């Protein structure tokens, strides 16, 4: 394993707890005692934090970041960018407000005695995809490695594109996967007058975003054409928006352009420094908002942006289709539910990260007699785990009826029962279990601490939300095919420990 996230160099705050290899004791998912009435304050967006950190590290002047998420993923990004010469100063003690001093160009690698830099990507997709592109502009080669599960995540399209642009790419294990080494080669990228490259983005939109982020640093910019369909285009739109906000000009494909015909052009110019405020994580809002549909009552999330590129904004459209009522007023999103759920037939191709939460609600809707179909999410097989296989397996363990299709899941009516569920070291599989446990007794999870990847303190937030539950059972509760909630008593602090 390569260097730990907390050992990147001066100016990097001590790393938070890494995702555990397995909790000492299984976590018993607490059951909702009744209707909820709560406001949940969420930390900054993981996706926006990753992009903000990277752009600040290559900016033309220092940047102050406010509202930064501090989780395992962002600690790994901080450490990786420190290896490439950026420096970080904590301005408030909590680590959520940082001053970033950008790295020089070419990026100066903090190398070991062998002349090589080393970066631990953990299980962070943004680190394993975004940072190798920057290493092609460094003054020394960098070795990338990560968690065992990270070694199963595809990297070939990005590595092939970097090699085509003139970077040095050396496979240190199975070709197309971690570990590998990326270096500047003969420095062709820093001399490129008009770089053009194609990339297969069908496995991950992060390949496209990584090259777009690189493009601004090239002398003539970059023209990028994905060769096939790109999932989660909302994340590519987020990358384009963050580049533009930092003063980088980006031309997007013409509307209606087909797969293989869409070209992005990034104009040269280092991003501006300055002040950047990061929105709360709207994807991480999903499990809490889902709780209102399952338990009844209402859950509110403050500081919801009126306009955003985050995939999690789709909750405003998805949750009413699952039986909820959604309102946005004065910057607060409120979701109300009755405990009665409906099935959903949804194409989640642009918002695949929301699929585990949608699947949890669909599973509970199945216990109430409804069928759901989720499509457009074949790319989830290459996430922290094969999420489609994992979801189907866990639903069946609960007694549910789930079929894995070519690009999604079919979830059919079936009664549910408690089960010992597995997280697969995947934060979204952990929150899937928490949602199911709101309505199904005796649901346990082997590793809830993997939620620290994007949401440290998840269990404390979850238990605090459930502490607001009334003891009066709402009309929809008890209809999921398991015992009524009123017979179980309130969730206790011990359930969430």
């Amino acid at each position: 394993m390569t260097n730990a996230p907390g050992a990147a160099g001066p100016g990097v705050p001590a790393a938070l707890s890494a995702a555990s290899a397995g909790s000492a004791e299984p976590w018993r998912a607490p059951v909702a005692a009744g209707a909820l009435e709560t406001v949940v304050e969420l930390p900054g967006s993981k996706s926006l934090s990753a992009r903000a950190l990277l752009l600040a590290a290559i900016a033309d002047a220092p940047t102050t970041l406010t509202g930064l998420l501090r989780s395992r993923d962002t600690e790994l990004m901080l450490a990786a960018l420190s290896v490439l010469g950026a420096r970080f100063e904590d301005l408030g003690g909590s680590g959520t407000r940082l001053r970033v001093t950008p790295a020089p160009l070419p990026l100066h690698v903090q190398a070991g005695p062998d002349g090589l830099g080393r970066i631990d990507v953990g299980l962070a997709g943004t680190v394993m995809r975004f940072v190798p592109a920057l290493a092609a502009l460094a003054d020394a080669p960098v070795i990338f490695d990560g968690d065992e599960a990270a070694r199963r995540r595809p990297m070939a399209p990005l590595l092939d594109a970097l090699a085509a642009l003139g970077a040095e790419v050396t496979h240190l294990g199975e070709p197309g996967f971690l570990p590998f080494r990326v270096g500047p080669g003969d420095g062709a990228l820093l001399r490129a007058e008009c770089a053009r490259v194609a990339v297969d983005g069908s496995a991950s939109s992060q390949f496209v975003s990584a090259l777009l982020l690189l493009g601004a640093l090239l002398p003539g910019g970059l023209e990028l054409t994905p060769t096939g369909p790109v999932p989660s285009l909302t994340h590519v739109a987020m990358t384009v928006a963050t580049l533009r906000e930092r003063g980088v000009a980006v031309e997007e494909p013409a509307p209606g352009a087909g797969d293989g015909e869409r070209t992005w052009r990034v104009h040269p110019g280092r991003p501006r420094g300055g002040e950047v405020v990061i929105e709360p994580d709207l994807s991480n809002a999903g499990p809490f908002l889902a709780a209102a549909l399952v338990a009844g009552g209402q859950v509110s999330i403050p500081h919801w942006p009126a306009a955003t590129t985050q995939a999690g904004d789709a909750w405003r459209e998805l949750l009413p289709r699952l039986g909820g009522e959604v309102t946005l007023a004065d910057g607060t999103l409120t979701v109300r539910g009755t405990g009665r759920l409906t099935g959903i037939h949804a194409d989640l191709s642009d918002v695949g990260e929301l699929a585990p939460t949608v699947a949890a609600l669909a599973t509970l809707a199945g216990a109430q007699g409804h069928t759901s179909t989720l499509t457009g999410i074949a790319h989830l097989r290459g996430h922290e785990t094969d999420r489609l296989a994992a979801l189907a397996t866990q639903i069946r363990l609960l007694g549910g009826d789930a079929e894995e299709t070519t690009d999604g899941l079919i979830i059919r009516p079936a009664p549910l029962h408690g089960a010992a569920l597995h997280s697969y070291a995947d934060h979204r599989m952990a929150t899937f279990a928490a949602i199911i446990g709101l309505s199904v007794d005796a649901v346990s999870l082997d590793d809830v601490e993997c939620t620290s990847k994007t949401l440290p303190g998840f269990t404390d937030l979850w238990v605090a939300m459930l502490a607001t539950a009334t003891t009066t059972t709402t009309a929809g509760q008890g209809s999921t095919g398991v015992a009524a909630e009123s017979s179980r008593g309130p969730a206790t602090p011990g359930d969430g420990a």
Side-chain angles (χ1 to χ4, degrees), residues 307-332:
T308 181
T309 55
Q310 288 194 65
D313 198 42
W315 290 127
R316 295 199 284 162
E317 182 268 332
L318 289 170
L319 293 178
R321 295 166 60 187
L322 285 153
E325 175 190 333
V326 178
T327 58
L328 177 61
D330 299 323
T332 296

Side-chain angles (χ1 to χ4, degrees), residues 131-351:
V131 182
L134 292 187
L137 302 178
D139 61 5
V142 178
I143 293 174
F144 291 84
D145 201 358
D147 294 358
E148 188 61 35
R151 293 186 173 192
R152 297 190 291 271
R153 300 186 71 175
M155 289 294 304
L158 177 63
L159 299 178
D160 291 346
L162 293 176
L165 287 167
E168 172 214 344
V169 176
T170 304
H171 301 283
L172 303 177
E174 182 180 352
F177 296 89
L178 290 163
F180 53 79
R181 184 173 72 237
V182 176
D186 65 358
L189 270 175
L190 286 174
R191 300 190 303 271
E193 294 281 335
C194 185
R196 295 182 177 89
V197 73
V199 65
D200 179 1
S202 59
S204 175
S205 67
Q206 290 175 344
F207 300 144
V208 177
S209 286
L211 293 165
L212 292 176
L213 292 165
L214 168 69
L217 297 183
L218 304 184
L222 177 69
E223 287 189 4
L224 172 64
T225 303
T227 58
V230 180
S232 302
L233 276 171
T234 52
H235 285 96
V236 177
M238 176 186 288
T239 300
V240 170
T242 53
L243 282 164
R244 287 173 172 168
E245 288 164 4
R246 305 281 79 74
V248 176
V250 182
E251 298 174 28
E252 295 184 272
D259 295 338
E261 300 174 349
R262 293 174 294 187
T263 296
W264 281 261
R265 175 165 175 74
V266 183
H267 291 259
R270 295 187 74 162
R272 287 195 303 258
E275 298 276 343
V276 176
V277 178
I278 296 168
E279 300 169 1
D281 195 311
L282 307 189
S283 296
N284 275 339
F288 299 93
L289 297 174
L293 275 65
V294 178
Q298 70 177 45
V299 174
S300 297
I301 307 290
H303 317 301
W304 199 279
T308 181
T309 55
Q310 288 194 65
D313 198 42
W315 290 127
R316 295 199 284 162
E317 182 268 332
L318 289 170
L319 293 178
R321 295 166 60 187
L322 285 153
E325 175 190 333
V326 178
T327 58
L328 177 61
D330 299 323
T332 296
L333 188 84
T334 298
V335 172
R336 298 175 179 84
T338 64
R340 296 190 182 95
L341 299 168
T342 58
I344 188 171
H345 303 280
D347 179 353
L348 302 178
S349 54
D350 281 345
V351 292

